[in-house]
Amino acid sequence: MIKHIVLAAVAACAVASSANAATVIFQPGVFGAPNGYTLYSDFNTVDAQAVVSGNNFVFPTGSVSGQYTALPANNTPYLAVLGGGVANIAFNNDVRSFSFDYSTVDTYNTLTINYADGGFESVVGGDILTAGQIDGQVSGSFIINGDGRLISGLSLATTQNAFEVDNLAVSGALAAVPEPTTWVMMIAGFGLVGVGMRRRTAAAVVA
């Protein structure tokens, strides 16, 4: 079960779950690898495409109605998993975090995070969409943190056309995403500092 799903860069939404679960950050309308991440595959060349195994996937350019949809303003090849297919990507070295651009969030898409310890977690497109967002019409980028567990790879599966991703990037460090409890502690800390400064100022005036 996924630990947190952050639905925008400004607002964070915590979802309760088991310990050591992944943190999934979805940023609508934001594309490209985060700072500090290394591009693992852009799927533009035969060598870049060779990292993918599985079945019923293609590397198209552009969009074809009813089959696959390119990312906004993207004219280069990308990975599209078709209905009933699965694309598996195993990293050369275990990572702590990875990211990718997501063409359209569909409820029938499933991302599986594979851990180095043999465990795994899955998140479906319906977990990402919020009230008012329409299935198949929201694009953005994903960042996935293992939160202490090393990640060995990922799998992309879908029951219908299609699951389209591009610009897969990896990092040996976790993305900086404060926990909700951390935000509370930070705010409380700022409050205490403010109180201390006010008392110090008042004492100086009296003296």
Side-chain angles (χ1 to χ4, degrees):
M1 186 175 178
I2 297 300
K3 187 177 182 183
H4 298 298
I5 298 176
V6 182
L7 299 170
V10 177
C13 177
V15 179
S17 74
S18 59
N20 295 325
T23 295
V24 176
I25 308 156
F26 177 58
Q27 303 176 101
V30 177
F31 302 98
N35 291 335
Y37 281 60
T38 301
L39 184 66
Y40 190 79
S41 181
D42 58 9
F43 309 113
N44 288 353
T45 66
V46 173
D47 288 342
Q49 297 167 1
V51 302
V52 185
S53 64
N55 62 82
N56 207 25
F57 59 83
V58 294
F59 300 99
T61 300
S63 304
V64 175
S65 180
Q67 294 188 44
Y68 35 74
T69 303
L71 278 87
N74 184 1
N75 298 315
T76 62
Y78 56 94
L79 170 61
V81 185
L82 305 178
V86 60
N88 304 307
I89 300 174
F91 298 132
N92 293 331
N93 298 295
D94 298 335
V95 302
R96 294 187 179 279
S97 181
F98 67 89
S99 72
F100 60 79
D101 292 336
Y102 195 170
S103 175
T104 55
V105 181
D106 296 302
T107 56
Y108 44 79
N109 294 162
T110 301
L111 163 67
T112 299
I113 305 158
N114 299 315
Y115 292 106
D117 61 12
F120 67 91
E121 292 183 82
S122 295
V123 58
V124 297
D127 294 334
I128 303 305
L129 296 172
T130 59
Q133 293 182 334
I134 301 174
D135 180 30
Q137 295 188 16
V138 181
S139 300
S141 61
F142 257 154
I143 302 174
I144 293 87
N145 284 335
D147 280 358
R149 300 174 70 183
L150 291 174
I151 300 170
S152 60
L154 66 146
S155 297
L156 308 167
T158 186
T159 57
Q160 300 179 47
N161 293 343
F163 195 160
E164 309 98 335
V165 304
D166 203 1
N167 301 320
L168 175 64
V170 298
S171 175
L174 298 179
V177 183
E179 299 279 348
T181 52
T182 302
W183 282 113
V184 172
M185 292 175 66
M186 287 172 61
I187 293 170
F190 289 142
L192 290 173
V193 170
V195 170
M197 291 178 65
R198 178 173 294 181
R199 286 180 177 174
R200 187 176 301 172
T201 301
V205 170
V206 171

